[in-house]
Amino acid sequence: MRIPWPAVLREERQFALLFAGQAWSSLGDRVTFVALPFAVLSIGGSAADVGWVIAAATVPFLLFTLVGGVWADRLPRHRVMLVSDIVRCGTQVVAAVLLFTGDARVWHLVALMGIFGTADAFFSPAMSGLVPLTVSPERLQEANALRGFVMSAGLVAGPAVAGGLVVVFGPGGALAVDALTFAVSAVYLARLRPRAGTVEEAGDFLAELRDGFRAVRTRSWVWSTLTAAAVYHLVVLPSVFVLGPVLAERELGGAKGWAVVVAAFGVGSIVGDVIAMRWRPARPLLVAAAALTVASCQALIIGGAGSLAVIAVLEGVTGVAVALFFTLWETALQTHIPEGSLSRVTSFDLLVTVGSMPVGMALAGPAADAFGLHPTLMVMTLVGVPSALALFAVRGVRRLGREPETAHVRM
């Protein structure tokens, strides 16, 4: 029986090449997420050392993501991504060799993850800007939804694959597999021939950065959605990643119960990505605002839904909403932001959203200890949901359509 491949893969060869490489790389990322803590622990590291290694990848990403956005608008984006993949492949190869030989130390992993995070800061803004150059405009949302589908599937299958690799080959073997996925991605990127984009001439770095910020500041639909997304990452997601497991341990049967909730969310995300492949709403950002509002109810669901079955079902619904929001938001940016500024705008998006998460996670635990778990989850809801609802009051959000904005339209 022939597999019914999505039309965007059948009809858009350049996107199919990009997608093939990134599908493997996405799986490798999920493997590393699980394997890296075990790598630290296998060499005698402590829980604090695990935190240092993970922070070593996160902090450089935040420091250099704006730099990455500027350079991705200056240079051919697939070349920026190719160099990033080669560097990240190298860091994982070195880490794997050190673990295999027994020579690895915590400071080795900290240094390697610092290099990894720096390279990642250049890759992510370039990726968002490259997709529109590999696919026709009418297929852009389908392409983004398909990418989201792979990441959602990775959330469900990735931990199981990673766990099996760690058991059979050890943490070093799991990181070696991640290195291989970066190598595969690099091969596909080397074969890629995207449409020529608008390449900025190298000029004053700060001036280019200000131009990117101006593209955010002068569009109400961009800065308002970006603000709401930042609140979601700062307030709502810590309820899932930090307080959810705590509540599960106390009230839902521990890790097994929480695994059910996480799996339900993952399945919902897959459903949302499938919907986004087919449904193209006339007012995509308005639908995205509604989806973000539903997603922002997660703290309320976790803290107030009661039984494990109800929480799992409702988390599945929020998984649908999260997938729709991110697909529609990314497509809106790629459609309405001038191509020559897209990577810089994406870098501001990454800075405020990814940068908000560590702050929220650091504050969530102490807040729950001081005020109680359920009251803290309720406050998270009272902050997160109104922030998403406020998007409905923004004219640019309500009016933004599927077609690119023209020069005379003010948003």
Side-chain angles (χ1 to χ4, degrees), residues 81-92:
M81 293 165 62
L82 176 60
V83 172
S84 175
D85 270 348
I86 292 172
V87 171
R88 291 183 294 173
C89 176
T91 64
Q92 302 303 70

Side-chain angles (χ1 to χ4, degrees), residues 35-49:
L36 196 57
F38 287 102
V40 177
L41 297 174
S42 72
I43 60 175
S46 65
D49 292 327

Side-chain angles (χ1 to χ4, degrees), residues 35-80:
L36 196 57
F38 287 102
V40 177
L41 297 174
S42 72
I43 60 175
S46 65
D49 292 327
V50 172
W52 280 111
V53 172
I54 294 175
T58 303
V59 172
F61 179 89
L62 296 175
L63 290 176
F64 290 101
T65 189
L66 295 181
V67 179
V70 170
W71 280 97
D73 281 338
R74 284 181 177 181
L75 302 172
R77 292 178 176 120
H78 63 299
R79 299 302 181 192
V80 174

Side-chain angles (χ1 to χ4, degrees), residues 64-379:
F64 290 101
T65 189
L66 295 181
V67 179
V70 170
W71 280 97
D73 281 338
R74 284 181 177 181
L75 302 172
R77 292 178 176 120
H78 63 299
R79 299 302 181 192
V80 174
M81 293 165 62
L82 176 60
V83 172
S84 175
D85 270 348
I86 292 172
V87 171
R88 291 183 294 173
C89 176
T91 64
Q92 302 303 70
V93 167
V94 173
V97 169
L98 289 172
L99 289 166
F100 277 132
T101 61
D103 295 325
R105 301 292 182 268
V106 172
W107 73 265
H108 291 150
L109 297 180
V110 169
L112 289 169
M113 288 305 103
I115 297 171
F116 183 100
T118 301
D120 199 31
F122 286 80
F123 183 93
S124 298
M127 178 66 180
S128 183
L130 178 63
V131 172
L133 302 179
T134 64
V135 66
S136 55
E138 62 271 16
R139 297 287 187 194
L140 183 56
Q141 182 178 315
E142 184 182 356
N144 287 324
L146 190 59
R147 289 175 53 218
F149 177 87
V150 169
M151 288 187 284
S152 297
L155 285 174
V156 177
V161 173
L165 288 171
V166 171
V167 170
V168 177
F169 301 107
L175 293 181
V177 169
D178 189 27
L180 178 61
T181 65
F182 283 122
V184 171
S185 175
V187 169
Y188 279 105
L189 286 171
R191 297 172 56 193
L192 199 64
R193 299 294 182 271
R195 294 192 302 273
T198 303
V199 179
E200 295 283 338
E201 293 186 7
D204 180 75
F205 175 84
L206 291 179
E208 293 179 44
L209 198 59
R210 286 194 296 270
D211 286 343
F213 181 69
R214 187 178 300 112
V216 174
R217 178 177 55 81
T218 58
R219 291 169 170 82
S220 63
W221 64 270
V222 175
W223 62 256
S224 60
T225 306
L226 193 53
T227 301
V231 172
Y232 174 77
H233 285 77
L234 176 69
V235 176
V236 178
L237 283 184
S239 73
V240 179
F241 291 126
V242 178
L243 302 188
V246 175
L247 184 136
E249 181 65 28
R250 296 178 183 176
E251 303 176 15
L252 302 177
K256 290 183 180 179
W258 188 243
V260 172
V261 175
V262 173
F265 179 88
V267 171
S269 298
I270 292 173
V271 173
D273 291 319
V274 172
I275 293 172
M277 288 183 203
R278 302 294 182 185
W279 182 35
R280 298 184 65 202
R283 292 289 183 265
L285 211 53
L286 198 59
V287 174
L292 185 61
T293 302
V294 173
S296 298
C297 293
Q298 288 183 86
L300 176 63
I301 292 168
I302 292 169
S307 72
L308 175 61
V310 174
I311 293 174
V313 170
L314 293 178
E315 275 295 290
V317 173
T318 64
V320 175
V322 169
L324 283 173
F325 170 75
F326 282 108
T327 295
L328 294 173
W329 168 236
E330 186 169 20
T331 303
L333 290 176
Q334 293 166 341
T335 301
H336 297 280
I337 296 296
E339 190 271 324
S341 302
L342 181 55
S343 289
R344 279 170 287 175
V345 171
T346 299
S347 70
F348 280 104
D349 181 8
L350 291 167
L351 179 66
V352 300
T353 53
V354 176
S356 298
M357 285 183 63
V359 178
M361 290 183 184
L363 296 175
D369 290 340
F371 305 108
L373 184 57
H374 286 275
T376 301
L377 289 167
M378 183 57 65
V379 171

